[in-house]
Amino acid sequence: MEYFDRLGRELEDRWRARERDEDAFPDIAVAALEALPPSKLLDLEALIDSILDPHRPAARQLAPLGAFGQPGFTAHYGRGFVVDVYFWTHALSAIHDHPFRGAFTLLRGESVHARYAFEERARLGARVRLGAITLERLETTEVGRIERFGVDAHGLVHALLHVPIPSVSMVVRTIRTQGYFRYFPPGVALAMDEPDELIGRSLALLDALRAGGDPRASERLARFLAHADFETTFRALSRIWPALDDGARHALLEGAHARHGAHAERIAPALDAALRAHEADEVRSRLVDPDDRWIATAFVVAERRAELLAFVATRHADPVARLHRFLDEAGLFAPDEEASLLIARALLDGEGAEGALERLAAAYGGEAVVGREEDVRRYAARSMMAVLAR
C-alpha cells in the first residue's frame, strides 16, 4: 500500500496549494498520476496480496460492497477525496455523468469508451431531465491513459465497458456529490440513486405480484401508474418492458400519455434502446475471445451502422469482413436460428429489413416469408442487430 500513501500525500499537497478548490481537482488528479504513474510504480500483484492479507487492518471504504466494481476497494481515504481501485469481471456500465470531480485510469486490460453529449430541453422536478442524448465518439482506452471527469470544464457523460476478464481500473475523485444522473438514449436522464423508500417498496411489491401470477397485477399496476410521477412511471415500466407484448406496452403507454402528455413519448424509445443494449451485453457475457468481446461491447453502445464500422476499422482493415466473421463464428445464433443469421448478414451488408426479406424469400421461398414481414422488421428494429439497420 506504499504507493497509495505516496499518491495520497501528493494529492493532498497539490490540492491544499489550490485552497482545496474542487473545480481544480481533475487537473490535480492528472498531475499526481503523471508524477506517480501507477502503470510503472504500482505492483498490482502485491496490491492483490495485500488486500487478501488476513492481518491487514480494515481500511475505511467509500462505496458499499456491490455498489461498483466486482469488487471495488478504497485504497486511500483522504480529506475530501479517495483513491479507489475496481476489479471488473462483467458489468454493463450505465451511461452516467459525474457530480464529483477527478480522473480515472486503467491498470489492466482495455475498455470501450463511449462519450455522449446531452442537450437538456426540460426538467421534471429535480430528478428527471429530458433532452437529446447523442453518441459523440467510440474509442478504446488502454492501460496508462488518464481521463479527467467532473462538471463544467471537465463534464463527461460516458459509459466505460471493460473488455478482458478481469480488468482493473483506478479512480481518484472528490467525495462530495451534487446530483448523479443516469442517461437513457435517446432522451431521458434520471437521478442515479433510487427513489424514496415508499416508492421503492411499492415497485418491489408490484414485481412480487407479477411474479406470483396475481390476477389483479395488471389492474393494480395501471391504477398505481395513474397517479405516478414521470420517474416512477419510467422505473416501473423498465422493470417489466422485456416481458410485455406490443399490445400491453401500447396500453400502458396510453395511460402514461394521459398522465404525462407528450413527455410520455420519450419512454418507449429509451426502454427499447436499453433492451437492445442489454441483449448485446448478454451476448458479450458469454464470449471468451478478447476481440469478440471487444466487438460485442461495441454493439452495446454503437447507435448506427456507420459508427460500428468506423470503430471496428480502428483495429481491422476490413470491418465488414470482421463483423461477418463475428456473426458466423462467435456463437451468437443457435443451429436452428439460420434465418436470424441471414437477416443479420443482410443488415450488416446495408440492405436493411427489406433486403433481409428478399434474402429470406430467396433462401426459403416466397411463401415462407408471407405473414412474417412484420416479425422481420421488428427484429431489424429491436434486436441487438438494429444498429446495423440504421
Side-chain angles (χ1 to χ4, degrees):
M1 305 300 288
E2 238 180 75
Y3 170 81
F4 294 103
D5 290 339
R6 292 176 61 194
L7 181 61
R9 288 194 296 270
E10 185 81 13
L11 289 162
E12 176 61 37
D13 290 344
R14 289 176 181 270
W15 201 18
R16 191 188 315 116
R18 297 290 297 273
E19 300 295 339
R20 312 192 77 80
D21 178 5
E22 292 196 9
D23 288 335
F25 195 81
D27 290 337
I28 290 167
V30 170
L33 289 170
E34 288 177 344
L36 298 169
S39 58
K40 296 179 180 178
L41 301 179
L42 174 60
D43 185 338
L44 192 55
E45 295 300 314
L47 170 63
I48 294 171
D49 289 339
S50 176
I51 292 171
L52 295 175
D53 183 355
H55 301 103
R56 186 177 69 94
R60 185 179 180 186
Q61 300 293 302
L62 177 64
L65 185 63
F68 202 64
Q70 293 101 37
F73 297 92
T74 297
H76 181 89
Y77 207 117
R79 181 188 166 202
F81 71 91
V82 293
V83 180
D84 286 342
V85 175
Y86 300 104
F87 293 79
W88 301 98
T89 54
H90 185 77
L92 176 55
S93 173
I95 304 171
H96 60 280
D97 59 16
H98 300 89
F100 39 82
R101 297 158 173 83
F104 68 86
T105 189
L106 204 59
L107 303 179
R108 175 182 290 177
E110 65 176 0
S111 305
V112 173
H113 191 196
R115 299 171 180 265
Y116 296 84
F118 177 61
E119 180 184 347
E120 183 179 318
R121 295 174 183 169
R123 289 197 180 195
L124 307 181
R127 296 177 54 84
V128 178
R129 299 173 183 174
L130 305 178
I133 303 166
T134 307
L135 178 63
E136 287 192 320
R137 187 158 81 249
L138 276 179
E139 58 193 1
T140 301
T141 297
E142 299 178 337
V143 169
R145 179 172 175 175
I146 303 170
E147 185 76 41
R148 294 170 174 82
F149 59 78
V151 294
D152 301 328
H154 303 300
L156 179 63
V157 177
H158 75 150
L160 192 67
L161 292 88
H162 305 287
V163 179
I165 301 175
S167 294
V168 185
S169 63
M170 186 168 81
V171 175
V172 178
R173 52 156 287 193
T174 56
I175 294 174
R176 190 167 68 92
T177 61
Q178 298 172 318
Y180 200 177
F181 278 79
R182 178 178 179 179
Y183 295 79
F184 298 84
V188 176
L190 300 182
M192 183 73 78
D193 59 310
E194 292 294 325
D196 63 75
E197 185 173 334
L198 176 61
I199 294 298
R201 289 185 184 276
S202 295
L203 293 176
L205 177 57
L206 289 167
D207 289 342
L209 294 174
R210 186 178 66 258
D214 179 73
R216 296 180 57 200
S218 297
E219 169 201 334
R220 285 171 161 144
L221 173 62
R223 190 167 66 244
F224 176 79
L225 294 180
H227 303 283
D229 58 31
F230 183 93
E231 179 190 6
T232 302
T233 299
F234 189 92
R235 289 184 182 274
L237 292 182
S238 71
R239 299 160 87 111
I240 62 174
W241 200 250
L244 298 177
D245 59 29
D246 286 348
R249 290 178 179 180
H250 179 72
L252 288 169
L253 289 172
E254 278 194 329
H257 194 277
R259 174 75 175 85
H260 303 289
H263 294 321
E265 296 171 7
R266 297 178 177 270
I267 295 175
L271 294 182
D272 285 343
L275 196 56
R276 289 192 300 271
H278 178 75
E279 180 186 343
D281 189 57
E282 286 291 307
V283 169
R284 183 173 78 111
S285 70
R286 299 194 298 266
L287 299 175
V288 176
D289 178 79
D291 197 53
D292 283 344
R293 283 180 55 83
W294 180 79
I295 290 174
T297 304
F299 268 92
V300 175
V301 290
E303 296 178 354
R304 292 174 179 80
R305 179 175 178 272
E307 292 169 349
L308 181 64
L309 293 179
F311 182 70
V312 176
T314 63
R315 185 168 290 184
H316 298 280
D318 188 340
V320 173
R322 178 62 184 96
L323 286 168
H324 269 297
R325 186 156 57 86
F326 176 75
L327 295 179
D328 293 340
E329 300 177 6
L332 277 65
F333 301 95
D336 62 350
E337 294 179 320
E338 181 64 30
S340 296
L341 174 57
L342 190 151
I343 296 170
R345 288 171 178 162
L347 298 178
L348 173 56
D349 289 336
E351 298 174 14
E354 302 311 311
L357 286 167
E358 291 177 6
R359 288 201 188 192
L360 289 170
Y364 301 107
E367 292 184 1
V369 178
V370 174
R372 304 299 301 274
E373 294 89 350
E374 285 309 308
D375 290 338
V376 173
R377 295 188 182 102
R378 188 179 298 109
Y379 180 82
R382 295 184 180 176
S383 74
M384 68 171 279
M385 298 300 160
V387 62
L388 301 172
R390 299 177 174 180

